[in-house]
Each structure stands twice: as structure tokens, then as C-alpha cells.
Amino acid sequence: MNQLADPSVDLLLNQRNSNFIKERKKLAIVTGSEATKETLCSQMKYYLEDCVDIEGYSEEVMVKDPIQADLVVMSSKILSEEMAEYVSPECPVLIAKRSLNIENIEKLFGIPKGTSVFFVNDIKENAVGCIEALQEIGIDYLELIPYYPGCRIYRNANIAVTAGEMALVPDHVEKAIDLGARIIDISSIVEILKLLDLMDQKLSLVSEKYKETMIRFSNHLYHLFNEASSMNQYLARILNQINDGIIAYYGSGIISIFNEKSREIFGAASAGDLIHNVIADSSIKEYLLAEEDLSDRLFRLNQEDLIISKFRIDKLDTTVCTIKNTKENKDIEVKLRQDLIRKGYIGKYRFSDIAGNSTVISDAVHIAKKLAKSDLNILIYGESGVGKELFASAIHNESLRNRGPFVAINFSAISEDLIESELFGYEEGAFTGAKKGGRLGIFEQANQGTIFLDEIGDISLRIQARLLRVLQEKEIRRVGGSENIPIDVRVIAATNKNLVQMCRDGSFREDLYHRLKKFYLKVPPLRERCQDIEVLVHHFLKKHGRGRLQISAEVMETLRMNRWNGNVRELENVMEYFIAVCDTGTVRMSDLPEDFFDESVMGHGGQNTESATVRGIQNPMMIDHDASGIQTRNDDAEYTTYSEALCQRGNLEEYLFFLKLIKEYTDRGQTISRKTMAEDAKNRFPYLTEERVRKRTDDLQALKLITKSAGRVGMRLTINGLKYVNYNTQ
Ligand SMILES: Nc1ncnc2c1ncn2[C@@H]1O[C@H](COP(=O)(O)OP(=O)(O)OP(=O)(O)O)[C@@H](O)[C@H]1O
């Protein structure tokens, strides 16, 4: 290691009182500043404290009495001249050689290669000496410029390094690094031993300690260099893994970073090369070297479209560019999307997939689109099968998270024991049967995306508490794990239960309810939007590949009148049934599922209060409910009631003839008028005029066996009319 010293080392021995000897020797250290005094005193105490009293004096603090010691060590020659009068004339004086304290050298490691740096010291020799010392220990990649009072600045720098001379650092410098005061050089330490007559006693110990310090330091340095170089390798690996080109260069165009992707695009180059020589395309070269132009630009190179972006790091006089190949980036996006699709973690639906134009559904879509723009949690309320998941998926796809996963979990379909590990995952060995390597929970899988928690009202209070913590802390802990894992997920929860009531009766946590319900969306049941049925019917026929299949007007009417307790899902099921059973091009009443009227049209378990009124009170065809709420019927008795009612009004045969006729026409998708009815009835009932036909149809309408409306729809059988006809044609 190089040792720096004042160029002239003078040993001024004043032997006038050579018998100045005490039991413990006294060493006085005189410095310019207090900081240097501290450094040098602690250095000498490290070597000699056990046998020498060490006293420090600095020019900064007034020395009152003359300094008396076995040896006075001056930190510089100038100081020895300035402080001479404060030293007892009989004291021997040594002007110490000093060297750079390299223990703080790591402070320089952050300065990038090629940077101009002032080395600041009190005189030229010291500044130059320190620079040489730094170069010798490997800091030769910086452009070190000596700086001292009165020097001429031939090249400027924004960073300054000094050895304890911060006061001399020029004001314009943006960053100053103090390596600390220079320490006493080993050769001067040996001199001190000699002068204190401690050579025999201390030399080997001091040299041991000195060696030890050096070894400790060089180990430290070695470690730091290793760390820095493995960090560099690590960074280089990262930069080479990135799928975009990355180039960094100093103001003048000297390249400092040129990653693998850049090499693929522009050809071979490495740090130290010039942009000017490396980039052949003149427009790209011009753009890169135009310091003030920081806009993103599109370039075409070798049939590829490149988007180049730039930003400046002014402090380092560096420009960094990223180069994206638009096609490759698209391909990557497609791959990532395919990966999500493979895992099933995508929102399958968009708002355009929501069929229906009723006001209620349009309003719901309108609100949902607004909610999609925010990132807050949403609670969707709606009966089973109304389309809650459809809405959740559409919201995800319209939100800023649409490139992330959409993961859905239905709590009603998972047992309580499994919910926790499904949501939060588990560590290997968390429980018997846990998979090797553990498993990610859906919260982790949905990271940066949306999680859809369906049937949230079905989870236990225990899981509610865990879920609440996750929503509050935004981190999860795997089952059997000890680490908290941060997550960035938007939660959309759904329920068909009355959560407010559940909060009241204590089965749902109110705090969780409020966390989930930052926004609220209600999806209306299908029976509140009968206008949508026709649109939905065609939507599902098309969705299942039978867009051309016709639905007879009567069937459509029957569908419209249905209660649809299973909502849109039930309607879709019926459409799939039609597709499976209908052999002709038109679905007719005869294609309706056998149990359609039992299970669907009649409603479930007395929920259909509106229809029950129509059927039960005003209609002779009664629906009874047994104790369990399940419907029971005595069909024969009910049909007989109709027959009796008709017989009381006129000829049952005529009425049945007209009912069948209406059915035939609607099955063919045709409307039937009174005139047609009279004509068709002519052969069997020649006495029936058009007016009489009107009378018969009025009777049928009064018994709610048919409906009459003006225009295209005309006369139609009601469900009961249809069933009564079917009963009589068996
Ligand atoms: N307006 C609509 N347009 C098109 N398809 C719809 C519509 N509403 C619902 N569907 C379809 O109906 C089916 C049921 O919808 P979804 O699963 O979203 O209902 P849900 O309310 O989440 O049901 P559950 O409460 O049982 O989970 C799905 O196949 C969905 O695509």
C-alpha cells in the first residue's frame, strides 16, 4: 500500500532537556482541526495507550500553557511552524508523515465509472498524493482531479472527495464525500517508538497491530469488492433477462450499460463503446444523442417496430433508454393471457355480454361501469342465477386490473375445513395431506387482479375474522406459515342473503360487511325484467349455436309469463333443453319440458304470490300447498271445474274446438282472428257467426283460459288454457 506523507519530513529534535524522563511517557499530538486531533489521538491510543499518556491539541482550540511532553507530534509542517511558540522548547518534535485513511474507501463505490471527481486537500502535494494512493488500491476508474486552495480549475466536477478537508470543498459541488482525516503513516509510528525509546518494548506489538488492521481492512475490502462484483453480475443477469433493450450512456455517448436485448437489436457493444459507433441507424442515433429530446419515439428497424423511451439522470450525467419491440411485447401479452386462460383465471365476460335492454338491467350496467373505474371493493346483491358473476367479471375486464387474473371462489361449494387453505394457501407440512412444497391460495393467485367471493353470506364467523384482517392489512399468511405476504387484490363479493339482517342477528360481522360494501350493486331478478326474456332467449340460442331456431309466439309468451325462480341460469337451461329436443326449426308448446309447468311455471314453494293470486283466487284451477310448502294438485278435479264452468255458459265442445284452434295457430306462429275462427268452425258448427264466436271467446277470456289483445299478438292460450287443452286432447 502506498503511504503518503508530507514531502519533507523533518525531525526537529530539541535535546535541550534530554533527561526529561518519566515513568509513563507523554505524547502530545498537535493538529489543525479538532476532527483531525480525534482521529490521530485514537489511532495512537490504539497502539500505545497501555504505556503512553496521549494528549491532543488543536489549532482550533486555544492552547493556554506551553505543551510539555516526551514527544510532540505535529500533523503537518505548516502547523509545526504556526504552533512552534506553544511548545516548550525542551520538547522533541516530530512532523508526522500521513497517509490516506482507506477504511472509509467504500464511500466511493457508488460513484459510476468515468465520473469526474475533485480530490480536495490543503496543498497540491497532498491532493496528488491521495489520488495516487486511491489509484494504487484500484480506484482508477474515476477521473480524479486534484483540488486545493488557489488551484486552477481546468475541468469541472460535481462530486468532491476529501480527506478531512470539507471546509475546502468548492461551493458549486453537488456532493462531497469525506474519507476522514489522514492518519499517521507506519514509518512515522516507528519514528515515534524510537523517540519514545519504546522500540524494544513495543515494535513487534505495534507491527502486529498494524498488520492486523491492514488484514482486517483488506478482508473487508475484498468482501466489499466481491459483493459489488457479484451485485454487478446479478444486475447484469437481470438486465439481460429483461425483454426490452436497455442502454445507458454518459452525456458524451460513452456506453455504460448495453444489455443482451440491445445487442440482439443493434449488434455487439459493451461498456466504454460510443453510441456514435455502435448504433448504425442515423435517425435512432440522432434521437439518442439529442439530450433535450425525451419524448417516446417509434422507429422501424429491420422490419420491426421499436418504441424507444429515454430518461435522464442528471446527477450522473447519464441517459437511460428502453427499447421495446412492439410485436414481441404483444406476443408476450398473448402468452401471459394464455397462461391465465389455462389456469381459468380470466374474467370470461364483458359488459357487451350482458343481454337485456330493460331499464332495470341497463341501470345496473350503467352503475357497474362506473364502479369498474374505481379500485374499491364491491358487494353485489342478487338472487341465485341473476348474473352476479357475469357482472363481477365484466367489472374486472373494464377495470385497470384487466390484465391481471380474475379468480372466483364459491363459498357455498366448499367445506368449511378447506376454505382457509383455498383462500390463503398453505406451507409444506401445514397439515396431514398437505402437498409437498405447499400451495398458493387464491388471494396470492389473484395478486394484481380481482378476486370474486361468491356466496359470502355462507362463511363462518371464524373465516369472516380472517378475511377482515386480510382486507385491513392487505397481506395474508399461509396456513402453517409465519411470514406475512403482501397482496394487491380487489375484492368483489356477492350474496343472495340479506347481510344487513345477518349483521343484526350476529351471524355476519358488521365491520366486514362495511369493508366489502364500499360500493353496492343490485342485480334484479329476471321476473322484474320480463322485457329481457326475448333478448335473452335469442342470446342463449345463439350462444349455444342455434341462432336460427324459432320460438313459437305461444312458447315465447309462456316463457315471458314464467316466474323464473332460478333466474337467467334457469332460462339458459330451458334454452339448452329446447336445442336438444326440438327436431323442427321452431320450438312449439309440445317441446316444453314435461315438468316445466310443475316446477317452473307454477313457481316454487309458494314464492310466487302474484301468480298464486291469479290462479288461486280468481281461477278455478287451484294450487294447494301441503305442510312442507310443496305444491300438490288434483288435476282432474281442477279440469272438471273448468268444464263445468264452460258447460254453464254454453256448449263445451265449441269451447274446446276454439281452444284447440287457437293452439294450432299459435303453434304455427300465426295469429287467429274471430273471422278466421268462424270460417274454420263453419263445417262443424255452421250456426256460429262471427258475433257468436266473439261471445265464446269472451267466455274463455273470463275464465282466463285465453288472452285477447289487439294487433299482431291476437288471441293466445294462457298457461291454464294450454293445460286444459292438453288435458282434453290426451
Ligand atoms: N344478462 C345476461 N346476459 C347473458 N347471460 C347472462 C345474463 N345474466 C346471467 N347470464 C348467464 O346466466 C348464468 C348464471 O349467471 P351467474 O353465474 O353470473 O349468476 P350468479 O348470480 O352469479 O349465480 P349464483 O348466485 O348461483 O352464483 C351464466 O351462464 C351467465 O352467463
Side-chain angles (χ1 to χ4, degrees):
M1 196 182 70
N2 192 31
Q3 292 164 350
L4 299 173
D6 294 313
S8 58
V9 179
D10 291 345
L11 175 62
L12 302 177
L13 286 172
N14 190 331
Q15 303 276 0
R16 261 179 285 168
N17 193 3
S18 54
N19 53 359
F20 184 80
I21 295 169
K22 281 187 203 160
E23 268 295 285
R24 258 176 89 81
K25 307 255 168 143
K26 182 179 170 190
L27 174 66
I29 297 176
V30 185
T31 63
S33 71
E34 280 288 294
T36 309
K37 181 184 91 180
E38 291 304 320
T39 307
L40 300 194
C41 284
S42 69
Q43 184 195 7
M44 292 319 296
K45 279 180 184 166
Y46 174 69
Y47 292 116
L48 301 175
E49 196 169 30
D50 58 334
C51 57
V52 177
D53 290 330
I54 297 166
E55 193 84 40
Y57 303 87
S58 81
E59 207 178 12
E60 271 173 13
V61 178
M62 275 282 283
V63 179
K64 289 183 202 121
D65 303 319
I67 300 167
Q68 288 253 335
D70 296 296
L71 177 63
V72 177
V73 174
M74 293 285 182
S75 66
S76 72
K77 185 159 184 280
I78 303 171
L79 191 82
S80 74
E81 285 156 12
E82 286 170 1
M83 295 291 284
E85 55 182 301
Y86 299 101
V87 178
S88 288
E90 69 275 11
C91 292
V93 174
L94 171 74
I95 299 170
K97 276 187 193 172
R98 292 178 49 207
S99 58
L100 192 63
N101 185 356
I102 51 176
E103 289 214 22
N104 295 324
I105 212 80
E106 61 196 80
K107 289 186 182 173
L108 305 183
F109 289 175
I111 308 176
K113 187 177 162 189
T115 310
S116 302
V117 176
F118 284 137
F119 197 102
V120 180
N121 221 320
D122 53 351
I123 53 172
K124 182 178 179 184
E125 288 74 11
N126 287 344
V128 171
C130 284
I131 289 173
E132 283 169 6
L134 286 176
Q135 286 168 341
E136 238 175 72
I137 58 164
I139 313 288
D140 52 1
Y141 54 86
L142 300 177
E143 194 174 339
L144 293 163
I145 307 159
Y147 184 96
Y148 46 90
C151 69
R152 266 188 61 218
I153 301 178
Y154 60 94
R155 184 160 166 34
N156 214 343
N158 287 323
I159 302 179
V161 176
T162 180
E165 303 286 2
M166 287 297 274
L168 303 180
V169 171
D171 289 342
H172 74 268
V173 158
E174 283 176 20
K175 186 176 175 184
I177 298 169
D178 190 0
L179 298 179
R182 288 172 302 140
I183 52 173
I184 300 171
D185 185 89
I186 186 67
S187 61
S188 288
I189 296 175
V190 172
E191 280 305 321
I192 291 169
L193 292 182
K194 259 194 228 160
L195 292 170
L196 291 176
D197 204 13
L198 293 170
M199 283 292 273
D200 295 344
Q201 191 187 335
K202 280 282 174 192
L203 183 64
S204 63
L205 204 80
V206 166
S207 72
E208 271 311 303
K209 280 195 165 185
Y210 184 76
K211 256 194 311 195
E212 193 187 293
T213 317
M214 284 299 121
I215 290 168
R216 189 161 33 85
F217 172 67
S218 61
N219 278 345
H220 176 61
L221 215 55
Y222 175 77
H223 182 69
L224 282 177
F225 271 125
N226 263 353
E227 234 177 38
S229 96
S230 54
M231 183 59 95
N232 273 343
Q233 284 171 13
Y234 179 64
L235 282 178
R237 271 214 303 278
I238 292 178
L239 288 175
N240 288 337
Q241 289 298 316
I242 293 176
N243 198 51
D244 295 333
I246 294 182
I247 306 177
Y249 46 95
Y250 301 110
S252 47
I254 303 169
I255 292 170
S256 53
I257 293 171
F258 203 84
N259 75 341
E260 200 60 51
K261 192 74 203 172
S262 304
R263 283 191 262 279
E264 266 176 42
I265 299 171
F266 299 111
S270 47
D273 291 347
L274 287 174
I275 287 284
H276 191 78
N277 300 335
V278 168
I279 310 289
D281 184 283
S282 58
S283 53
I284 297 181
K285 187 182 342 199
E286 196 182 312
Y287 164 74
L288 294 185
L289 293 175
E291 270 189 38
E292 63 296 343
D293 184 358
L294 292 177
S295 54
D296 295 352
R297 290 285 193 81
L298 180 70
F299 294 94
R300 192 152 178 84
L301 185 72
N302 307 329
Q303 273 92 55
E304 305 279 11
D305 287 327
L306 305 176
I307 296 174
I308 308 189
S309 314
K310 280 203 301 193
F311 63 91
R312 290 266 315 149
I313 307 174
D314 283 332
K315 277 197 175 164
L316 304 179
D317 185 27
T318 294
T319 306
V320 182
C321 296
T322 58
I323 303 112
K324 285 182 192 297
N325 181 324
T326 52
K327 182 172 175 302
E328 276 179 18
N329 277 283
K330 260 192 217 130
D331 291 349
I332 288 172
E333 221 171 82
V334 168
K335 260 199 198 150
L336 289 176
R337 188 98 188 132
Q338 278 168 349
D339 194 42
L340 288 181
I341 293 170
R342 192 172 47 75
K343 289 185 182 156
Y345 293 162
I346 51 147
K348 278 186 280 178
Y349 303 106
R350 300 174 175 281
F351 281 117
S352 53
D353 296 314
I354 301 180
N357 44 26
S358 61
T359 320
V360 275
I361 204 72
S362 308
D363 286 352
V365 168
H366 182 67
I367 294 168
K369 279 187 178 168
K370 283 194 180 170
L371 303 189
K373 297 278 173 276
S374 87
D375 202 37
L376 293 178
N377 296 340
I378 300 177
L379 180 64
I380 305 182
Y381 173 77
E383 289 177 15
S384 181
V386 281
K388 297 186 291 294
E389 183 165 351
L390 177 83
F391 268 87
S393 162
I395 290 172
H396 166 78
N397 281 328
E398 187 96 349
S399 75
L400 289 174
R401 295 175 175 270
N402 59 9
R403 280 155 192 248
F406 174 81
V407 186
I409 180 169
N410 187 327
F411 289 118
S412 69
I414 303 177
S415 75
E416 165 82 13
D417 304 347
L418 288 179
I419 288 182
E420 234 173 321
S421 56
E422 281 290 321
L423 285 178
F424 311 119
Y426 56 77
E427 295 291 352
E428 181 170 335
F431 46 82
T432 338
K435 262 199 342 198
K436 200 155 180 275
R439 207 187 117 179
L440 288 186
I442 61 165
F443 262 104
E444 275 178 88
Q445 314 225 38
N447 211 11
Q448 308 211 313
T450 306
I451 189 167
F452 177 59
L453 306 176
D454 202 0
E455 311 290 6
I456 190 84
D458 287 4
I459 54 171
S460 67
L461 285 165
R462 196 175 62 84
I463 303 287
Q464 286 177 32
R466 278 210 70 181
L467 200 53
L468 177 69
R469 244 190 336 271
V470 171
L471 298 184
Q472 281 168 339
E473 316 293 336
K474 296 198 178 310
E475 50 187 27
I476 56 122
R477 185 179 287 196
R478 293 188 193 147
V479 177
S482 54
E483 197 191 335
N484 287 341
I485 302 164
I487 44 133
D488 167 22
V489 168
R490 181 190 205 178
V491 175
I492 303 183
T495 184
N496 58 12
K497 299 220 162 111
N498 185 340
L499 291 189
V500 176
Q501 185 53 46
M502 287 178 74
C503 288
R504 274 194 208 118
D505 66 28
S507 53
F508 201 85
R509 291 182 67 120
E510 205 171 328
D511 40 11
L512 176 62
Y513 171 71
H514 288 295
R515 282 258 158 200
L516 294 170
K517 198 197 140 181
K518 294 278 176 196
F519 282 131
Y520 178 76
L521 177 72
K522 182 174 183 233
V523 184
L526 188 53
R527 67 180 161 283
E528 285 177 14
R529 43 180 163 124
C530 299
Q531 305 95 294
D532 289 342
I533 286 180
E534 195 161 343
V535 180
L536 282 165
V537 162
H538 293 301
H539 171 84
F540 288 130
L541 291 178
K542 205 163 155 205
K543 175 174 165 187
H544 295 287
R546 289 291 296 275
R548 285 161 186 248
L549 191 63
Q550 299 287 310
I551 305 286
S552 77
E554 196 176 357
V555 170
M556 192 63 89
E557 187 61 20
T558 308
L559 297 177
R560 248 187 244 116
M561 289 174 68
N562 192 13
R563 184 167 167 75
W564 299 114
N565 286 322
N567 288 296
V568 185
R569 181 180 293 114
E570 187 189 354
L571 177 63
E572 184 168 7
N573 290 343
V574 171
M575 289 307 110
E576 286 184 80
Y577 175 84
F578 284 166
I579 289 168
V581 300
C582 180
D583 298 327
T584 63
T586 304
V587 178
R588 302 189 191 284
M589 291 301 282
S590 52
D591 293 321
L592 282 172
E594 289 232 326
D595 56 357
F596 187 72
F597 296 106
D598 300 335
E599 300 210 337
S600 179
V601 179
M602 293 304 183
H604 297 285
Q607 289 174 24
N608 190 349
T609 48
E610 175 207 359
S611 307
T613 313
V614 173
R615 288 193 292 261
I617 298 170
Q618 303 175 358
N619 200 310
M621 191 165 168
M622 300 290 289
I623 298 176
D624 303 322
H625 296 90
D626 67 11
S628 66
I630 298 168
Q631 293 164 12
T632 57
R633 290 181 305 152
N634 182 345
D635 288 352
D636 286 350
E638 287 156 13
Y639 298 136
T640 311
T641 316
Y642 276 126
S643 300
E644 281 170 9
L646 288 170
C647 285
Q648 276 171 19
R649 286 162 205 246
N651 182 343
L652 181 62
E653 246 182 278
E654 282 171 27
Y655 290 119
L656 283 173
F657 175 82
F658 286 129
L659 287 171
K660 283 177 193 163
L661 198 61
I662 295 170
K663 181 172 185 297
E664 271 171 40
Y665 270 78
T666 42
D667 278 357
R668 291 203 296 269
Q670 295 170 345
T671 45
I672 183 165
S673 64
R674 271 200 313 269
K675 196 167 166 218
T676 327
M677 281 174 117
E679 274 170 18
D680 284 1
K682 228 183 340 206
N683 286 341
R684 257 184 93 182
F685 310 106
Y687 51 87
L688 284 180
T689 61
E690 221 181 298
E691 182 49 29
R692 280 186 182 153
V693 169
R694 186 186 63 76
K695 174 103 187 18
R696 303 291 182 272
T697 55
D698 281 352
D699 292 340
L700 289 171
Q701 190 180 23
L703 288 173
K704 297 207 178 298
L705 290 170
I706 65 164
T707 56
K708 288 205 247 180
S709 43
R712 199 172 58 84
V713 178
M715 255 174 287
R716 290 282 159 81
L717 293 183
T718 63
I719 295 163
N720 291 330
L722 179 71
K723 292 165 86 173
Y724 181 61
V725 172
N726 288 342
Y727 176 76
N728 283 290
T729 43
Q730 277 170 7

